[in-house]
Amino acid sequence: ALNIKDVLSRISTVGWGRYIIFMVLLAIILFVAVIVLGIVSMIPYVGGIIADTIVGSYIILMMYASIGKLFAN
């Protein structure tokens, strides 16, 4: 179950300002990455494969790694 008090206390340990700035920057980076993913997927035949397997996986991996590092500090 989702415990809201625990979530809010974890965010408070990081700091609300740092958390909000991080999420805004992450959204901007993900937006640019999705645009790149769309351009790569336009390559005939192999573009979709490259976009899904390599670029898409890398984006997800880096997103969650950066979130983990934010809360590890």
Side-chain angles (χ1 to χ4, degrees):
L2 180 65
N3 190 350
I4 300 296
K5 287 184 180 183
D6 282 345
V7 172
L8 294 177
S9 69
R10 290 289 303 257
I11 293 173
S12 295
T13 60
V14 173
W16 281 98
R18 185 175 177 192
Y19 181 77
I20 291 171
I21 290 170
F22 174 79
M23 286 299 168
V24 169
L25 288 175
L26 185 64
I28 292 169
I29 291 169
L30 287 177
F31 180 74
V32 171
V34 167
I35 291 173
V36 169
L37 206 112
I39 292 170
V40 169
S41 68
M42 294 171 122
I43 300 171
Y45 304 111
V46 296
I49 296 169
I50 292 171
D52 290 341
T53 58
I54 298 171
V55 180
S57 301
Y58 181 75
I59 289 170
I60 292 170
L61 178 72
M62 290 299 112
M63 180 180 67
Y64 287 117
S66 62
I67 291 172
K69 287 180 183 179
L70 174 71
F71 283 102
N73 289 337

